[in-house]
Amino acid sequence: MAIYKSMSSAQVHTLITKGTNISGKINKIVLTNHDDTDSCAVSLYLDDGAGTRYVLYETLMPARTSLVLTDNIKFNSTDYNLQLATGSDAELTSIIT
């Protein structure tokens, strides 16, 4: 099963919502910046919904680049949201497998 999400605004995007039947066992996350000119600061983290965040990865993605995370990220999806904060209106796509 793959989870796809397209984003084009500077905000926090929930990729996996806690308490749903989607597993927190992840093999790979692919983030792609499709924008021709805008770079984008991204921060991937776990959020417990009560204000505690655990940052997994932060970076600046230049225009027309992709980032692949393959560290077999696993988390308890009954307790945490997987979220991505974006810092610009660049056009991004995330694919989680």
Side-chain angles (χ1 to χ4, degrees):
M1 169 182 66
I3 302 167
Y4 299 90
K5 183 158 182 111
S6 294
M7 300 153 273
S8 60
S9 60
Q11 65 181 35
V12 174
H13 307 272
T14 300
L15 304 177
I16 296 178
T17 303
K18 75 176 187 174
T20 62
N21 61 353
I22 298 173
S23 170
K25 181 181 177 188
I26 298 170
N27 294 317
K28 181 173 22 177
I29 299 174
V30 179
L31 296 174
T32 302
N33 181 350
H34 300 279
D35 205 284
D36 289 328
T37 57
D38 294 332
S39 62
C40 185
V42 295
S43 178
L44 183 69
Y45 58 88
L46 299 177
D47 182 278
D48 67 1
T52 303
R53 292 182 176 165
Y54 301 97
V55 176
L56 304 174
Y57 197 84
E58 290 181 309
T59 194
L60 179 65
M61 292 185 67
R64 312 276 302 158
T65 61
S66 292
L67 170 69
V68 179
L69 303 173
T70 59
D71 292 336
N72 292 318
I73 301 166
K74 296 177 183 153
F75 69 97
N76 186 341
S77 58
T78 60
D79 294 332
Y80 297 101
N81 296 303
L82 179 64
Q83 296 183 321
L84 179 70
T86 57
S88 76
D89 292 341
E91 298 173 26
L92 301 176
T93 300
S94 69
I95 302 172
I96 301 172
T97 59

